[in-house]
Amino acid sequence: MIVMKFGGSSVANAERIKHVASIIQAYAEKRPAVVLSAMGDTTDHLLDAADMAVRGTVDIEKVEKLHLDTAKELGVDVPAIKELLEELKFLLTGISMLHELTKRTRDYLVSFGERMSVRMMAAYLAQQGTPAKFYDAWDIGMVSDSNYMSAELLDEVWENIPKALNSYKNGEQKEIPIVTGFIAKDKNGIITTLGRGGSDLSATMIGAAMDAEEIQTWKDVDGILTTDPRIVKEARPVPEVTYEEAQELAMFGSQVLHPRSMIPCRKTGTPVRVKNSYNIKSEGSVIVEKHTGATPRVTAITSVKNVTLIDIQSSGMFGAAGFLAHIFNQFLKWNISIDVIATSEVSVSLTVNTKANLEGLIEDLERVAEVNVKACKSIVTLICDASHSSSILADAFAALNKENINVQMISQGASKVNISMLVDSDQTNQVVQILHTALFD
Ligand code: ASP
Ligand code: MG
């Protein structure tokens, strides 16, 4: 058995759905279980519709038209989608009357995207003579906590999924399961979501729990690339990365996989293959526990924009125990997540997402230290074999120095697979280009 996951752009319209159906059929012998995202930008459109509803306007035209037109073009009749669209209208009407949208309601609302796309695909496959059956995540036992918009799956999922899918795995059930990514239900039966891009996690969870031969996530590019091809056109495919590297890639801006998606498959060692739906024959990139050959010096370069640097300095820190604990407690108090840190004996520099509201935090920090906040920064991350950090950094900094680029902070993650540096946002692309040339060419 294998798991095949297709993201929103892979199922964005009738033509793409037909193409995906043909890929699924090509792998029929491997007994695939399929995980789907919502069609195209449906999740974003649902969120927009929710915002409008809060302000009093109910409008789901975009979502409705996309789904009904697609069904028509595919020549399938899907009353189940029409029912969901009706329910969706009711929900938006409710929101528009209350002028209120809780996280819980937001999750319920975005769940319609995935629920409609699996119904569409199952209907189309069946029409093409390939028996398929759609499942909402909870039908296969995807239970999560109640942390809406970013829920965590509970441990019992490891037992629930095989109970639901074993009969397919052992050949008793003929219909290919088409399962919603991204969504789950909590213990009280309330719909939750696993965070944006969460379908990857749904897929790796199913693959790991089913002890699948392989989990495939299908993209529109040749697997994992050395860097963003929109920044560096010489970016090239990386044949193999480790779970650890993939996790760092996801944390530091690569759009390849959901950051948490490596957690289940890492437990079981199930390989994840990132494949290109436009180039089926290509092997893509495989994510595994350990490199099969020598660990490459540098695997990839990623960047994240919209980062704010917070510099905290205090002579009180010198030799003092618990100073950092106090600082970090303030971040906990204000629920602000830290991305990268560097410290010296009297200062600590750290980065946070620019969207975070820092007012209260800064006020608290200023009680004990001098605080400087600088917005418009970016983190550029080298996913590399940090045991060769001196030679990598020598090459990197020689190249940056030649172009007069000043790196404002540098941090080597304990994971030993990443080195991150902070630069001005407007220099991000240039820095990535310089480093790509210096380290890959
Ligand atoms: N549809 C959801 C999103 O756009 C989940 C996913 O695509 O993985 O975030
Ligand atoms: Mg999506």
Side-chain angles (χ1 to χ4, degrees):
M1 178 176 169
I2 61 167
V3 173
M4 305 174 84
K5 181 251 159 178
F6 297 91
S9 64
S10 301
V11 291
N13 53 42
E15 192 196 325
R16 301 290 282 132
I17 290 175
K18 286 182 188 172
H19 183 60
V20 166
S22 73
I23 298 177
I24 296 170
Q25 285 162 337
Y27 279 87
E29 254 172 48
K30 295 252 177 203
R31 305 204 66 69
V34 177
V35 174
L36 296 184
S37 295
M39 288 180 67
D41 295 326
T42 297
T43 307
D44 290 319
H45 293 153
L46 288 171
L47 290 169
D48 291 346
D51 288 339
M52 278 171 60
V54 173
R55 285 184 260 120
T57 313
V58 177
D59 180 1
I60 56 153
E61 225 218 279
K62 257 190 202 153
V63 172
E64 183 168 46
K65 189 167 168 5
L66 174 68
H67 288 83
L68 295 182
D69 286 357
T70 303
K72 207 165 157 199
E73 223 179 308
L74 293 173
V76 292
D77 183 32
V78 266
I81 292 181
K82 288 187 188 137
E83 272 166 36
L84 286 176
L85 285 166
E86 284 309 305
E87 192 183 332
L88 181 58
K89 262 183 238 170
F90 270 124
L91 176 61
L92 286 168
T93 308
I95 296 171
S96 75
M97 287 164 78
L98 291 169
H99 295 287
E100 184 191 71
L101 179 65
T102 59
K103 285 185 171 186
R104 168 174 157 169
T105 305
R106 198 187 292 259
D107 275 0
Y108 173 29
L109 189 114
V110 292
S111 75
F112 285 86
E114 270 67 11
R115 287 151 79 193
M116 290 193 285
S117 77
V118 294
R119 283 157 176 78
M120 190 84 75
M121 183 63 79
Y124 180 68
L125 280 168
Q127 186 232 57
Q128 293 297 300
T130 305
K133 182 176 171 188
F134 68 81
Y135 291 84
D136 291 323
W138 42 89
D139 299 333
I140 64 161
M142 285 281 192
V143 194
S144 75
D145 62 18
S146 306
N147 188 14
Y148 301 110
M149 292 174 71
S150 170
E152 299 240 14
L153 294 169
L154 303 183
D155 278 343
E156 65 180 72
V157 167
W158 287 92
E159 284 163 27
N160 295 350
I161 294 174
K163 270 187 213 149
L165 295 183
N166 264 345
S167 66
Y168 174 68
K169 189 179 179 185
N170 68 26
E172 271 165 49
Q173 174 182 325
K174 296 285 173 263
E175 299 97 344
I176 298 178
I178 315 288
V179 188
T180 56
F182 182 49
I183 60 179
K185 269 187 181 173
D186 71 7
K187 279 282 187 197
N188 299 315
I190 309 295
I191 298 177
T192 60
T193 65
L194 309 177
R196 294 305 305 266
S199 302
D200 289 330
L201 176 59
S202 312
T204 53
M205 186 64 237
I206 294 171
M210 293 307 294
D211 196 17
E213 190 183 316
E214 180 170 280
I215 299 152
Q216 301 175 341
T217 69
W218 289 79
K219 311 268 159 190
D220 303 338
V221 290
D222 261 324
I224 296 173
L225 302 178
T226 47
T227 195
D228 186 338
R230 287 166 302 183
I231 301 179
V232 180
K233 63 176 190 316
E234 293 80 16
R236 50 174 186 261
V238 183
E240 183 186 79
V241 306
T242 63
Y243 296 127
E244 197 176 11
E245 289 166 348
Q247 201 154 345
E248 297 287 334
L249 271 165
M251 297 295 255
F252 289 101
S254 143
Q255 297 291 317
V256 172
L257 284 165
H258 184 276
R260 280 195 277 148
S261 61
M262 288 301 109
I263 297 170
C265 49
R266 246 183 124 160
K267 284 195 182 139
T268 51
T270 315
V272 179
R273 195 175 285 280
V274 185
K275 302 246 320 163
N276 183 355
S277 61
Y278 288 110
N279 185 6
I280 304 182
K281 296 250 160 64
S282 147
E283 288 288 300
S285 307
V286 65
I287 309 172
V288 289
E289 177 63 37
K290 262 204 180 105
H291 281 289
T292 36
T295 306
R297 203 168 76 117
V298 184
T299 300
I301 303 171
T302 64
S303 58
V304 209
K305 291 190 175 144
N306 290 326
V307 169
T308 294
L309 172 69
I310 307 178
D311 257 322
I312 304 163
Q313 286 204 34
S314 166
S315 50
M317 205 167 143
F318 186 79
F323 191 83
L324 283 178
H326 177 76
I327 299 279
F328 290 147
N329 263 321
Q330 308 311 309
F331 283 82
L332 175 65
K333 173 179 163 193
W334 294 98
N335 192 23
I336 291 170
S337 143
I338 301 171
D339 293 324
V340 177
I341 307 180
T343 86
S344 79
E345 190 57 54
V346 292
S347 75
V348 49
S349 305
L350 29 84
T351 67
V352 298
N353 188 311
T354 300
K355 284 189 203 131
N357 180 0
L358 300 176
E359 241 171 77
L361 169 76
I362 302 298
E363 224 170 81
D364 277 348
L365 291 174
E366 280 178 336
R367 280 186 238 282
V368 295
E370 194 181 308
V371 184
N372 264 303
V373 179
K374 292 177 198 139
C376 296
K377 303 291 171 191
S378 290
I379 300 172
V380 175
T381 300
L382 304 175
I383 307 295
C384 60
D385 178 2
S387 66
H388 293 121
S389 59
S390 300
S391 102
I392 295 165
L393 287 173
D395 292 350
F397 280 93
L400 292 173
N401 187 36
K402 229 191 246 163
E403 304 293 334
N404 285 319
I405 303 274
N406 214 13
V407 171
Q408 292 154 36
M409 167 176 160
I410 153 159
S411 153
Q412 180 173 330
S415 72
K416 306 284 184 281
V417 300
N418 99 54
I419 297 174
S420 292
M421 35 191 126
L422 199 78
V423 297
D424 282 332
S425 266
D426 53 15
Q427 292 184 324
T428 320
N429 290 2
Q430 192 196 354
V431 168
V432 172
Q433 284 153 1
I434 294 170
L435 293 175
H436 197 273
T437 309
L439 299 169
F440 285 105
D441 289 343

